């Protein structure tokens, strides 16, 4: 893994995969660690009277430090691909304005999270794509992949497209925008995880409408802070219900009244890991099992591959 980065471009394997949720999680995590973060949604379509809602959500996560015109310089009403939405208004997509807005944000902030529109090959002009925009902004990409059927093809094609354009890929975050998975989807997702290996750096679990994950639980953000060692411990037990996951590391929290123990074990583990500069989180699905993971910073040349 590389040293701390100055920004990233969040893309998806499809539209509606959860890019905004992941971007907000990343912004909140960085701000919680004292990083000055700017947010950007360069092009947003489907913009109504309430304004560019994705851009506003990103700006809110960043504390609204910047003018909305810099956060989202290009806005179109039609909910379609950017070039289609622009053509419907008789307008062209001016990537120069995007670059100027990004330059202003980069001057103000230590790190800028840029969320693209759709996937890497979505047109961003007559001869440009979102991949070209990431290259012009000189940003590595973070790929958000949906968990349901079709994700293997979509994710591997996105990685292939990024590689063909010499884009630096930070990793893949798996998202569950459609909610709980069917048994075939779970098996399919397991095959994707196996195929990606260490390229999977996080997973956003199924969420209720409007809910967001606790950033310290669900996303392995080690790639944003230098060399790390990642450890993952899994079981095939009964799993943990979604309503318990946000509190699993709370002091004295027990899942069922009358259970043995005082709810200090995970609280102490979290304290120890975070005291050493790491993160700890859990991903679980009822009936499928639980994976506890943690990362720790590694100094010098001691970093090796993630342990499983």
């Amino acid at each position: 893994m590389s040293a701390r980065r100055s920004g990233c471009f969040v893309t998806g394997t499809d539209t509606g995969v959860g890019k905004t949720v992941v971007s907000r999680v990343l912004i909140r995590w960085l701000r919680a660690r004292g990083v000055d973060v700017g947010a950007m949604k360069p092009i947003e379509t489907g913009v109504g009277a309430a304004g560019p809602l994705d851009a506003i959500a990103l700006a809110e996560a960043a504390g609204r430090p910047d003018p909305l015109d810099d956060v989202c310089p290009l806005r179109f009403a039609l909910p379609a691909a950017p070039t289609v939405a622009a053509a419907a208004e008789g307008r062209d997509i001016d990537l120069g304005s995007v670059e100027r807005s990004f330059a202003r944000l980069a001057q103000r902030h230590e790190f800028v999270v840029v969320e693209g529109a759709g996937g890497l090959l979505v047109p961003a002009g007559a001869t440009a794509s979102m991949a070209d925009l990431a290259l012009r902004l000189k940003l590595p990409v973070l790929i958000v992949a949906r968990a349901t059927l079709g994700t293997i093809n979509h994710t591997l094609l996105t990685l292939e497209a990024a590689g063909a354009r010499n884009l630096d890929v930070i990793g893949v975050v798996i998202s569950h925008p459609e909610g709980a998975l069917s048994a075939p989807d779970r098996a399919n997702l397991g095959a994707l995880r196996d195929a990606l290996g260490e390229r999977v750096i996080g997973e956003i679990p199924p969420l209720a409408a409007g809910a967001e994950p606790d950033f310290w639980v669900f996303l392995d953000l080690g790639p944003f802070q230098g060399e790390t060692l990642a450890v993952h411990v899994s079981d095939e037990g009964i799993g943990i219900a979604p309503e318990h996951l946000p509190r699993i590391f709370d002091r004295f929290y027990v899942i069922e009244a009358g259970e043995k123990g005082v709810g200090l074990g995970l609280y102490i583990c979290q304290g120890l890991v975070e005291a050493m500069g790491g993160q700890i989180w859990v991903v679980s699905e009822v009936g499928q099992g639980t994976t506890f993971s943690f990362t720790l910073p590694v100094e010098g040349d001691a970093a090796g591959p993630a342990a499983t």
Side-chain angles (χ1 to χ4, degrees):
M1 295 177 185
S2 61
R4 176 176 283 180
R5 305 167 190 271
S6 60
C8 73
F9 190 96
V10 181
T11 190
T13 57
D14 196 356
T15 189
V17 297
K19 295 190 301 295
T20 303
V21 171
V22 171
S23 297
R24 282 174 55 87
V25 167
L26 177 55
I27 291 167
R28 290 165 53 209
W29 184 89
L30 289 166
R31 291 185 68 203
R33 278 148 182 81
V35 179
D36 182 356
V37 186
M40 189 179 194
K41 176 81 175 182
I43 307 171
E44 185 161 345
T45 64
V47 177
L53 298 182
D54 286 352
I56 291 170
L58 297 182
E60 288 177 345
R64 290 181 175 267
D66 301 298
L68 191 57
D69 285 344
D70 280 345
V71 175
C72 187
L74 298 178
R75 313 168 204 173
F76 304 100
L78 188 69
T83 51
V84 176
E89 299 179 20
R91 298 166 57 191
D92 294 323
I93 294 179
D94 178 11
L95 292 185
S97 69
V98 171
E99 291 179 288
R100 290 188 292 274
S101 291
F102 175 78
R104 287 190 289 270
L105 293 173
Q107 286 180 338
R108 297 182 194 127
H109 302 289
E110 182 180 354
F111 193 101
V112 182
V113 175
V114 180
E115 180 191 331
L120 271 183
L121 299 189
V122 165
T127 60
S129 66
M130 286 292 152
D132 295 312
L133 179 57
L135 285 169
R136 288 173 70 158
L137 300 181
K138 300 180 180 179
L139 292 175
V141 297
L142 177 65
I143 297 169
V144 182
R146 70 171 71 249
T148 47
L149 189 64
T151 189
I152 294 177
N153 181 58
H154 294 162
T155 304
L156 295 182
L157 281 174
T158 300
L159 286 165
E160 186 171 298
R165 289 158 178 79
N166 294 316
L167 282 165
D168 178 16
V169 176
I170 297 168
V172 177
V173 175
I174 296 169
S175 179
H176 293 254
E178 291 89 358
L181 299 180
S182 66
D185 279 344
R186 287 196 297 270
N188 194 69
L189 180 57
L192 176 65
R193 291 194 189 104
D194 290 342
L196 295 178
E198 294 175 15
R199 288 178 290 183
V200 177
I201 65 168
E203 185 162 349
I204 303 295
L207 301 169
E212 289 194 355
D214 290 319
F215 56 83
W216 61 86
V217 174
F218 297 116
L219 193 57
D220 172 11
L221 294 166
F224 295 93
Q225 61 177 8
E227 300 288 354
T228 61
L229 169 71
V231 178
H232 310 281
V233 181
S234 301
D235 64 39
E236 296 180 353
I238 61 174
I240 302 170
E243 62 267 24
H244 295 297
L245 285 172
R247 299 191 59 194
I248 200 71
F249 293 101
D250 286 2
R251 188 178 183 185
F252 300 127
Y253 185 74
V254 292
I255 292 177
E256 299 290 345
E259 285 192 351
K260 293 181 179 180
V262 294
L264 281 174
L266 290 176
Y267 170 79
I268 292 171
C269 288
Q270 182 186 45
L272 290 172
V273 169
E274 291 186 350
M276 291 185 283
Q279 291 82 46
I280 184 169
W281 71 99
V282 58
V283 174
S284 185
E285 189 169 346
V286 173
Q288 300 300 312
T290 302
T291 298
F292 284 92
S293 305
F294 66 88
T295 61
L296 292 173
V298 178
E299 296 182 357
D301 297 326
T308 303

